[in-house]
């Protein structure tokens, strides 16, 4: 029978054990093994049966056991030490306070639709959420004052299981917030704090605010499951990436607009500094910029600025990160739907709907503006933008070049900061212990990778086998559960007890089952794959995982193909497809693999951080040169799968790249793994392993990533924003200057260019002098930069590998005409070309392309 009401009874801890609640309430335990040890001592069996979840553990342990622990001095000492360590971590000065760049912001708001912190808080679907979680954790470790903003989904993403036929099945278990390591934000009178958004089709949408403590970083999560809401509003935060376009639009309005309001409530109630910088992690939260404009233009408590001035205030302090390399990965809504929701009856009344629609309009490269593009709005609302690897930055500049059509791809104002991963979360405890055995400083990660050369090979190899053995045990448990759910009787599953082998070369592959990630590339030649798996001398085993979006039948077919191969009695002991890939599965998977496989269709992998996690655990990457691997592969830290770029036939391309992959495994990877010395240690393999740790360890860290964001984006954004926000005069001046430049740009022309100093046969070292005669119309020389753009030329006279030399004002004439002069030294032989251009110039611009206008010779 069903209960008519459900609620959670929280445990009452004895006073001596009160610190257990404090430790459970801060998610630092999820990456701090010593705190996990304390919880395990409470009840080792319960600790593992509850999925290593402190909140569930404390809710399940009996009163008698708690009383015993309250009298156990050894346990109390360990508990006190863990609490003291947490307090020190939360209060001491860290990198940002000690060595951080001058002028840093006092608070940075980081918005993301998903956050992967720990498996016990399942508010993530894949890479974007894991990246966001690692960003918060690394910021906490560094002391960077970030505050996260997201949504709390009642069902999270989904739990994946497999049918008897190997077809993905989804279930959506209900999450009880009272059983999660989060707490409600409350008003001084104890009532819950809420925010509301006006909706055009009914009453206000109301959301409560949950707070998760991610070390030093608070994470605010909005939840619409409140009694004030009608049923269709309750469902706004039902599940991650679910529903139709209107449902997704409501979620994104709540995330962006509601998220800013939640920040204001949190600052009011806790005294937390108001954010100086806003970071939009992908376009889902882009509506935050509209709320900030509303605050500045319409709100009675605000400065009542005009729209253009408010736009400049917001842009200066906003950072936008794009993660997708394909247009299909961007949220796009019908213009009419956005217009309906953002009319004066919507959540930002008074903000002109025509200006809102213009921000997201796909009105370039032949677009008719009928689609509202969240990434386009993200770029238009942020002065600083980046991709998540060098190659992805290039792809993004090409993909969005239409927003700045007057500029070549290289000058499109989208930079790149390569993603990183949070080592304390993903590196096995045993790997850290190896480094400390030879004197590495546990508080200095850089010293860990340098220690790789000091650790005896035998010791490294023994630990790697231990980690492989742990993965095999975990995989067998998951295989048992999966096959039982698929309808098989326990008597049929005896073979699983010997499936996989801790002494066999283990290749891992865990990806979202999107078509471009090519989950089944290894299946292009099943017979050859089977030979590799069952080779009597050098066998290979595969551990694979990943979810397909519930609406992606193509992705589900890819999973089914792998599962059907894994069911084949000839190879089922050598290949496992583990359902319901999540953080809990990933943590033994990465350390237990010898090789991490990634074979996307280049260049559609924006970054791909899973291989980074494997590398930090001594795994070698076997990957297409895409994402981060294109940037940091050096020929010694793994293998690059040749990519058949330019082959238009996708089947032929897959065949070519699959054959290259088989060749690498058969002729290079497996031979090196099984080439052992008299002690059974593969010395050449360990050379690559050591080099991997030293060459990639410092680069792939999330702490490096967050430092890069801080130094390259957050601090410059806060400096610019402060210059504009001082009584808003700077913003008003910048807005007025932009209007004047845009209005007057039609009168800007390069009328004539002269050069001298080089003859018919110029040589390296010659100095070329250039004079440019320019008409500026109503603009002044100080409004522009006149630039000599020079470099190599192609046979079609296209400039490549250009450099820019600014010309200086030499003379002014009547009618707004001026002469600009400059010199350039010819320092390279070969084809050389140049042109002159005029671009807007203002010290508050981040890029000369920011206004999207340029004047070139006719």
């Amino acid at each position: 029978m069903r209960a008519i009401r459900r609620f959670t009874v929280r445990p009452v801890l004895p006073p001596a054990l009160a610190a257990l609640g404090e430790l459970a309430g801060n998610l630092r335990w999820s990456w701090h093994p010593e705190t996990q040890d304390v919880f395990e001592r409470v009840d080792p069996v319960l600790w593992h049966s509850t999925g290593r979840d402190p909140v569930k553990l404390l809710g399940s342990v009996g009163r008698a056991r708690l009383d015993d622990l309250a009298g156990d001095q050894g346990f109390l000492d360990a508990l006190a030490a863990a609490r003291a360590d947490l307090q020190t971590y939360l209060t001491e000065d860290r990198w940002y306070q000690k060595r951080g760049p001058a002028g840093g912001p006092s608070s940075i708001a980081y918005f993301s639709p998903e956050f992967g912190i720990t498996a016990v808080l399942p508010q993530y679907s894949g890479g974007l959420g894991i990246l966001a979680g690692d960003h918060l954790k690394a910021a906490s470790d560094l002391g960077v004052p970030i505050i996260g903003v997201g949504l709390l989904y009642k069902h999270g993403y989904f739990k994946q299981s497999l049918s008897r036929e190997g077809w993905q099945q989804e279930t959506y278990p209900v999450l009880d917030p009272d059983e999660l390591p989060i707490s409600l934000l409350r008003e001084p009178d104890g009532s819950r704090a809420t925010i509301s958004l006006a909706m055009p089709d009914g009453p206000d949408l109301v959301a409560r605010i949950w707070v998760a403590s991610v070390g030093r970083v608070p994470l605010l999560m909005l939840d619409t499951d409140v009694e004030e809401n009608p049923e269709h509003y309750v469902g706004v935060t039902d599940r991650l990436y679910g529903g139709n376009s209107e449902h997704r639009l409501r979620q994104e309005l709540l995330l962006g607009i509601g998220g800013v309001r939640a920040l204001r409530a949190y600052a009011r109630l806790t005294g937390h500094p108001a954010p100086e910088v806003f970071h939009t992690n992908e376009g889902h939260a882009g509506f935050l910029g509209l709320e900030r404009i509303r605050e500045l233009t319409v709100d009675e408590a605000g400065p009542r600025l005009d729209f253009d001035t408010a736009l400049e205030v917001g842009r200066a302090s906003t950072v936008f990160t794009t993660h997708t390399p394909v247009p299909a990965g961007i949220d796009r809504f019908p213009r009419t739907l956005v217009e309906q929701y953002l009319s004066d009856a919507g959540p930002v009344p008074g903000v002109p709907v025509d200006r809102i629609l213009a921000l997201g309009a796909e009105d370039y490269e032949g677009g008719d503006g009928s689609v509202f593009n969240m990434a386009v709005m993200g770029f238009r609302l942020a002065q600083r933008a980046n991709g998540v690897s060098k190659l992805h930055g290039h792809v993004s500049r090409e993909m969005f070049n239409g927003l700045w059509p007057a500029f070549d791809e290289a000058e499109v104002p989208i930079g790149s900061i390569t993603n990183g991963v949070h080592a304390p979360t993903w590196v096995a405890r045993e790997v850290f212990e190896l480094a400390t055995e030879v004197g590495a400083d546990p508080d200095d990660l850089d010293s860990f990778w340098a220690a790789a050369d000091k650790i005896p090979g035998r010791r490294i190899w023994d630990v790697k086998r231990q980690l492989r053995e742990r993965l095999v045990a975990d995989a067998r448990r998951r295989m048992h559960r999966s096959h039982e759910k698929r309808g098989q009787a326990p008597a049929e599953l005896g073979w699983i007890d010997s499936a996989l082998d801790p002494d066999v070369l283990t290749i891992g592959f865990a990806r979202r089952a999107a078509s471009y990630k090519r989950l089944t590339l290894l299946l292009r030649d099943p017979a050859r794959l089977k030979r590799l798996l069952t080779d009597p001398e050098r066998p290979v085993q595969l551990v694979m995982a990943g979810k397909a979006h519930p609406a992606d039948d193509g992705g589900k077919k890819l999973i089914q193909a792998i599962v059907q191969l894994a069911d084949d009695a000839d190879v089922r002991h050598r290949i496992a497809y583990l359902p319901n890939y999540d953080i809990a599965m990933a943590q033994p998977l990465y350390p237990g693999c010898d090789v991490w496989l990634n074979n996307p269709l280049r260049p559609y992998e924006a970054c791909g951080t899973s291989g980074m996690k494997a590398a930090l655990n001594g795994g070698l990457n076997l990957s297409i040169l895409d994402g981060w691997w294109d940037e940091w592969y050096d020929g010694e830290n793994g293998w690059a799968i040749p990519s058949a770029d330019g082959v238009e036939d996708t089947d032929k391309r897959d065949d070519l790249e699959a054959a290259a992959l088989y060749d690498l495994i058969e002729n290079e990877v497996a031979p090196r793994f099984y080439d052992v010395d008299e002690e059974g240690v593969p010395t050449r393999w360990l050379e690559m392993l050591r080099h991997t740790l030293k060459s990639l360890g410092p680069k792939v860290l999330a702490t490096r990533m967050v430092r890069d964001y801080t130094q390259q984006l957050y601090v410059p954004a806060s400096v610019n924003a402060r210059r504009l926000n001082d009584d808003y005069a700077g913003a008003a001046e910048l807005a007025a200057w932009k209007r004047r430049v845009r209005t007057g740009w039609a009168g800007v022309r390069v009328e004539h260019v002269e050069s001298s100093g080089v003859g018919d046969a110029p040589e390296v070292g010659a100095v070329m002098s250039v004079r440019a005669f320019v008409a500026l119309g109503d603009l002044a020389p100080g409004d522009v930069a006149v630039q000599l753009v020079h470099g190599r030329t192609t046979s079609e006279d296209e400039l490549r590998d250009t450099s820019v030399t600014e010309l200086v004002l030499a003379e002014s004439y009547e009618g707004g005409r001026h002469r600009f002069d400059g010199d350039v030294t010819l320092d390279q032989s070969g084809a050389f070309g140049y042109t002159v251009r005029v671009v807007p110039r203002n010290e508050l611009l981040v890029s000369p392309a920011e206004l999207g206008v340029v004047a070139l010779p006719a």
Side-chain angles (χ1 to χ4, degrees), residues 774-829:
V774 174
L776 297 181
D778 294 332
L779 302 184
D783 293 326
V784 303
V786 180
Q787 299 174 333
L788 177 68
V789 184
H790 52 93
R792 298 187 181 278
T793 58
T794 68
S795 57
E796 290 81 27
D797 290 335
E798 289 289 325
L799 286 169
R800 293 286 184 270
D801 304 322
T802 57
S803 299
V804 174
T805 300
E806 187 161 331
L807 306 182
V808 297
L809 179 66
E811 287 186 326
S812 295
Y813 313 105
E814 294 181 356
R817 288 173 165 78
H818 310 271
R819 193 188 90 219
F820 292 80
D821 296 351
D823 298 329
V824 62
T825 301
L826 307 183
D827 57 3
Q828 289 186 337
S829 59

Side-chain angles (χ1 to χ4, degrees), residues 468-469 471-472 500-509 539-543 589 592-597 620 669 673-674 685:
R468 209 180 299 119
E469 193 169 34
L471 168 60
V472 167
L500 306 179
D501 185 330
D503 292 309
V504 167
L505 169 62
T506 303
I507 298 178
F509 183 100
V540 173
Q541 61 192 10
L542 297 172
V543 182
L589 176 59
C593 289
D594 303 293
V595 172
W596 195 260
L597 174 64
L620 304 182
V669 180
F673 180 87
Y674 289 105
W685 185 274

Side-chain angles (χ1 to χ4, degrees), residues 180-342:
L180 300 176
I182 57 179
S183 59
L184 273 175
L185 181 67
R186 296 190 179 276
E187 298 287 349
D189 64 2
S191 63
R192 66 188 180 198
T194 62
I195 60 94
S196 63
L197 277 70
M199 290 280 112
D201 57 348
D204 288 359
L205 172 67
V206 178
R208 53 187 171 175
I209 305 164
W210 296 90
V211 184
S213 297
V214 186
R216 300 163 67 110
V217 172
L219 168 59
L220 312 183
M221 295 178 288
L222 296 171
D223 163 29
T224 60
D225 188 7
V226 297
E227 58 270 18
E228 296 95 322
N229 284 329
E231 191 61 33
H232 62 294
Y233 285 180
V234 167
V236 167
T237 54
D238 58 351
R239 59 185 62 166
L240 181 60
Y241 302 141
N244 58 20
S245 288
E246 185 171 14
H247 185 79
R248 291 285 293 276
L249 179 61
R250 285 174 173 169
Q251 286 188 334
E252 297 186 8
L253 290 168
L254 177 64
L255 174 60
I257 297 170
V260 174
R261 294 177 187 176
L263 285 168
R264 304 309 185 205
Y266 186 78
R268 171 176 60 83
L269 292 169
T270 66
H272 190 282
E276 292 186 70
V277 173
F278 290 74
H279 185 174
T280 308
N281 188 41
E282 200 41 277
H284 309 81
F287 290 122
L288 74 87
L290 302 187
E291 171 64 4
R292 297 186 64 207
I293 290 172
R294 188 202 63 80
E295 290 179 328
L296 294 166
T297 61
V298 180
D299 196 316
E300 291 183 2
R304 307 299 288 266
L305 306 177
D306 64 85
F307 184 95
D308 289 334
T309 301
L311 178 62
E312 295 306 329
V313 172
R315 290 187 75 253
S317 55
T318 300
V319 172
F320 173 58
T321 298
T322 177
H323 288 262
T324 181
V326 291
I330 298 168
D331 274 343
R332 301 159 80 235
F333 299 105
R335 173 191 171 100
T336 52
L337 183 65
V338 175
E339 186 173 16
Q340 172 192 344
Y341 270 85
L342 292 171

Side-chain angles (χ1 to χ4, degrees), residues 128 272 484 693:
L128 180 70
H272 190 282
E484 286 175 359
L693 290 172

Side-chain angles (χ1 to χ4, degrees), residues 337-371:
L337 183 65
V338 175
E339 186 173 16
Q340 172 192 344
Y341 270 85
L342 292 171
S343 66
D344 273 346
V348 287
V351 180
V353 70
D354 60 321
R355 299 297 302 267
I356 294 173
L357 294 171
L359 288 169
E362 285 189 5
D363 53 4
Y364 58 92
E365 294 183 346
D368 61 5
S370 64
V371 173

Side-chain angles (χ1 to χ4, degrees), residues 437-670:
E437 287 176 11
V438 293
D441 180 358
D443 294 321
D444 178 12
L445 282 177
D446 290 337
S447 72
F448 273 66
W449 322 125
D453 283 336
K454 303 175 184 177
I455 305 168
R458 177 77 264 167
R459 183 81 180 97
I460 294 175
W461 201 236
D462 287 345
V463 167
K464 281 300 293 183
R465 189 192 186 283
Q466 179 185 350
L467 297 173
R468 209 180 299 119
E469 193 169 34
R470 180 183 301 158
L471 168 60
V472 167
D474 185 69
R476 288 173 180 170
R477 285 193 295 270
R478 294 176 185 275
M479 291 166 71
H480 263 288
R481 290 200 299 268
S482 177
H483 281 276
E484 286 175 359
K485 285 185 178 181
R486 294 175 67 190
Q488 297 178 16
E492 299 178 78
L493 302 179
W495 64 271
I496 293 178
D497 294 335
S498 58
L500 306 179
D501 185 330
D503 292 309
V504 167
L505 169 62
T506 303
I507 298 178
F509 183 100
R511 318 289 299 159
R512 185 164 50 86
S515 58
Y516 75 88
K517 294 181 183 287
R518 298 194 295 185
L519 181 69
T520 56
L521 188 68
L522 268 173
L523 270 64
R524 297 299 292 186
D525 186 344
R528 187 170 184 189
L529 175 59
K530 287 184 177 181
R531 289 198 301 272
L532 289 172
L533 295 173
T534 59
D535 187 290
E537 300 295 328
R538 299 190 295 227
V540 173
Q541 61 192 10
L542 297 172
V543 182
M544 308 181 76
K547 296 178 178 180
H549 188 280
D552 182 9
D553 282 352
K556 293 179 183 180
K557 288 178 181 177
L558 299 178
I559 292 173
Q560 186 178 43
I562 293 287
V563 173
Q564 288 173 344
L565 175 66
D567 286 344
D568 186 330
D570 291 338
V571 293
R572 64 188 183 185
H573 62 301
R574 289 284 182 258
I575 180 169
Y577 196 90
L578 307 180
N580 204 42
Y581 180 50
D582 65 358
I583 291 174
M585 182 194 295
Q587 286 177 318
L589 176 59
Y590 294 119
C593 289
D594 303 293
V595 172
W596 195 260
L597 174 64
N598 191 23
N599 45 232
L601 191 65
R602 190 179 189 272
Y604 296 134
E605 183 77 276
C607 184
T609 57
S610 58
M612 296 179 175
K613 298 162 194 165
L616 291 180
N617 284 285
L620 304 182
N621 275 268
L622 173 61
S623 176
I624 293 284
L625 288 173
D626 200 3
W628 74 276
W629 191 236
D630 179 75
E631 192 172 332
W632 288 331
Y633 168 67
D634 67 5
E636 302 291 335
N637 51 13
W639 295 271
I641 304 168
S643 180
D645 294 350
V647 176
E648 298 295 333
D649 184 326
T650 55
D651 282 338
K652 182 177 181 182
R653 179 170 179 170
D654 285 354
D655 286 339
L656 290 171
E657 295 183 7
L661 173 56
Y662 294 137
D663 287 345
L664 280 170
I665 295 172
E666 183 174 7
N667 301 323
E668 296 190 38
V669 180

